[in-house]
Amino acid sequence: MSVVSFALNHMAAPGLSIERFFALAKSLGITSVEIRNDLAGNAIIDGTPASAVRALAVENGISITSINALQRFNEWNATREAEAIELADYARDVDAQALVLVPVNDGTGQADGERQRNLRTALAALKTILGDRGVRGLVEPLGFEICSLRSKREAAEAIEDVDGTAAFRMVHDTFHHHLAGEPDIFPGMTGLVHISGVDDPTVTVPDMRDPHRVLVDAGDRLGNVGQIRALVAGGYEGLLSFEPFSPVVQKLADPRTALAESIEFIRAKV
């Protein structure tokens, strides 16, 4: 597979320090990573300066694709604005290309009219904050039934409405795409793809949650291979970033071998 490359989200091995995480990526031949602001005892949440993380990335030949993430981004208020500025500053200083934007996911803000209005308000404000710092926003619709932004079509329309096509792209998450049941994939508006699989044969789609998300293999029920093929056929040439949340994956003694096997499987199928 030559038209897409892999990236590694720190959630794939959250127990590793930032140094060991970069080393893991490098050992797999992966040069792009996503760092997170929700891992206790690790950068960014432990106060590690952006300059230190940037230096480690340069030392390891690593490019930081994104910081993951500004949560509840479409509930725009003074608190969210302050969080956005802090994360955008960090992204700029660490030389990250983008900031992932995750919507409210607690059952609120879902009403028709309200959710579209909230989304446009947030995007309009973020366009300036991110643009001033040279950071792209990556809007990530979530497929959970309680999420305030499930539809990529709604996200794409809002981005266009705020004249934000230069400032924003979407995350196509194969797990959330499957849960949302939305057929359209918008490869031209996709800036990053998150990949994970679900192998559990017993869980129903509405009951799938983050702990079910493992590495992509032959037992995958989400149709990762088909989704990736469709994105590539539509012109997507960006990164496939591993983002498993299953404790089974996150506690592996040898994550490198498991990740290498998943990479090999996907390359053979796409």
Short mmCIF file of all heavy atoms in Angstrom, two decimals, residues 60 74 89 151 172:
data_model
loop_
_atom_site.label_atom_id
_atom_site.label_comp_id
_atom_site.label_asym_id
_atom_site.label_seq_id
_atom_site.Cartn_x
_atom_site.Cartn_y
_atom_site.Cartn_z
N ASN A 60 13.99 12.00 17.21
CA ASN A 60 13.56 10.69 16.74
C ASN A 60 13.05 10.69 15.31
O ASN A 60 12.58 9.66 14.81
CB ASN A 60 12.48 10.13 17.67
CG ASN A 60 13.02 9.63 18.99
OD1 ASN A 60 13.49 8.51 19.10
ND2 ASN A 60 12.98 10.50 20.00
N ASN A 74 -17.91 21.94 20.63
CA ASN A 74 -19.11 22.60 20.11
C ASN A 74 -20.04 23.10 21.21
O ASN A 74 -21.19 23.45 20.95
CB ASN A 74 -19.87 21.67 19.16
CG ASN A 74 -20.23 20.32 19.79
OD1 ASN A 74 -19.61 19.89 20.76
ND2 ASN A 74 -21.21 19.64 19.21
N ASP A 89 -1.94 27.05 21.40
CA ASP A 89 -0.59 27.54 21.69
C ASP A 89 0.39 26.38 21.80
O ASP A 89 1.51 26.43 21.27
CB ASP A 89 -0.58 28.35 22.99
CG ASP A 89 -1.14 29.75 22.84
OD1 ASP A 89 -1.31 30.21 21.69
OD2 ASP A 89 -1.42 30.39 23.88
N SER A 151 -22.97 13.19 12.42
CA SER A 151 -22.97 13.20 10.96
C SER A 151 -21.80 13.97 10.36
O SER A 151 -21.61 15.16 10.65
CB SER A 151 -24.29 13.80 10.45
OG SER A 151 -24.22 14.12 9.09
N HIS A 172 -12.04 10.90 9.91
CA HIS A 172 -12.85 9.72 9.62
C HIS A 172 -12.37 8.64 10.58
O HIS A 172 -11.28 8.09 10.41
CB HIS A 172 -12.68 9.28 8.17
CG HIS A 172 -13.46 8.04 7.84
ND1 HIS A 172 -14.60 8.06 7.06
CD2 HIS A 172 -13.28 6.74 8.19
CE1 HIS A 172 -15.08 6.83 6.94
NE2 HIS A 172 -14.29 6.01 7.62
#
